[in-house]
Amino acid sequence: MGHHLITIAIQELGVLETPGPEHTARIMEYAEEAGFPDYTQDEIAWCSLFMNWVALKGKMKRTHKLTARSWLNVGINVDDHPEPGDIVIYWRGAPNDWRGHVGIFIGYSKDGSRIYTLGGNQNNRVSISAYRANRLLGFRRLEQAMLFNLEEVVLKRGDIGPLVAKLQDALKLADMKPGTSDGHFGPKTEGAVKDFQRTFAEADEQVTGIFDAETREELLAVINA
């Protein structure tokens, strides 16, 4: 499972935050897809944001929080036997400070003094960087998220509510782009349903933009594969 997270994260190597008032579009996409609508500028620390996005794409449990130390509360403690792909958390400022850093464990340096880490917001970019081992707080092994389920309802443009937000989350897991998971079935969500139907529906099915029984079955098959 952990190597799967490395595969996802390593494709993002080099994504760099933009100094000043402009913001890197890819980092804003991490925030939108991972469910952080209040994340509005890439000057805000984004290491935990990136890990939430990677875990989402890897269908693993995540923290839904922007604080690095929140990762100490998910998964299984593997301090005694970490493996590449496990999550590694460091202190920043001081060991008892609230600040920290989180990334994906790659391995130790030969002398054991450094830990190579794949993560976001490392020198303001997605990179593999070496962190001092004496800053280590812990290693965690993420668990697979439970199978996603969607209620048997028909949803269409104009609908609002938590069932729409859940559909938006599901569409993101299928690599569609419904916009923020705000519970409003607007044009972006309709477009994402249409894109999904074009990509995965049977040849004789119509592209309607309506989330119906057939679309539900196909969407669940894709995201729970």
Side-chain angles (χ1 to χ4, degrees):
M1 286 295 182
H3 288 87
H4 182 46
L5 297 183
I6 293 175
T7 300
I8 294 167
I10 211 164
Q11 295 179 61
E12 305 298 312
L13 282 175
V15 171
L16 176 67
E17 71 179 59
T18 304
E22 300 297 320
H23 309 299
T24 301
R26 185 59 172 156
I27 298 174
M28 295 299 103
E29 286 179 7
Y30 299 152
E32 180 177 302
E33 293 181 11
F36 293 97
D38 295 331
Y39 189 91
T40 56
Q41 51 183 337
D42 59 13
E43 280 75 27
I44 300 172
W46 50 281
C47 65
S48 184
L49 166 64
F50 182 68
M51 275 310 315
N52 271 279
W53 180 84
V54 171
L56 171 70
K57 293 299 181 181
K59 300 179 183 176
M60 309 298 282
K61 290 185 178 179
R62 51 200 175 103
T63 69
H64 302 274
K65 296 180 180 179
L66 292 175
T67 51
R69 292 183 185 228
S70 65
W71 292 89
L72 291 167
N73 300 315
V74 296
I76 303 166
N77 183 313
V78 288
D79 289 353
D80 295 333
H81 48 90
E83 298 177 359
D86 288 334
I87 305 304
V88 57
I89 305 100
Y90 304 95
W91 58 264
R92 191 161 59 89
N96 59 352
D97 199 334
W98 65 270
R99 293 173 295 173
H101 179 70
V102 62
I104 301 171
F105 173 65
I106 300 297
Y108 276 93
S109 62
K110 188 174 182 180
D111 64 3
S113 67
R114 296 271 195 260
I115 300 173
Y116 293 103
T117 305
L118 167 59
N121 203 23
Q122 300 183 166
N123 293 320
N124 298 327
R125 71 181 69 215
V126 179
S127 69
I128 297 175
S129 303
Y131 286 81
R132 295 198 308 273
N134 60 10
R135 288 176 53 192
L136 175 68
L137 284 175
F139 294 102
R140 309 294 295 189
R141 183 164 299 155
L142 298 186
E143 300 165 298
Q144 190 166 15
M146 294 180 65
L147 290 178
F148 207 98
N149 191 31
L150 291 164
E151 285 71 9
E152 296 181 19
V153 296
V154 175
L155 298 170
K156 61 186 183 303
R157 186 166 176 172
D159 288 339
I160 60 173
L163 295 182
V164 176
K166 194 172 182 181
L167 169 61
Q168 291 165 327
D169 285 341
L171 288 165
K172 291 173 186 177
L173 289 173
D175 289 325
M176 301 295 127
K177 298 186 181 299
T180 304
S181 297
D182 56 5
H184 291 263
F185 199 126
K188 279 190 175 181
T189 302
E190 183 182 55
V193 172
K194 286 182 177 179
D195 288 341
F196 178 83
Q197 290 170 333
R198 290 189 191 98
T199 306
F200 294 101
E202 298 293 333
D204 60 346
E205 292 179 33
Q206 292 185 334
V207 175
T208 62
I210 297 171
F211 177 71
D212 54 17
E214 288 177 321
T215 306
R216 173 184 178 273
E217 183 178 339
E218 288 152 354
L219 181 54
L220 288 175
V222 168
I223 63 179
N224 288 330

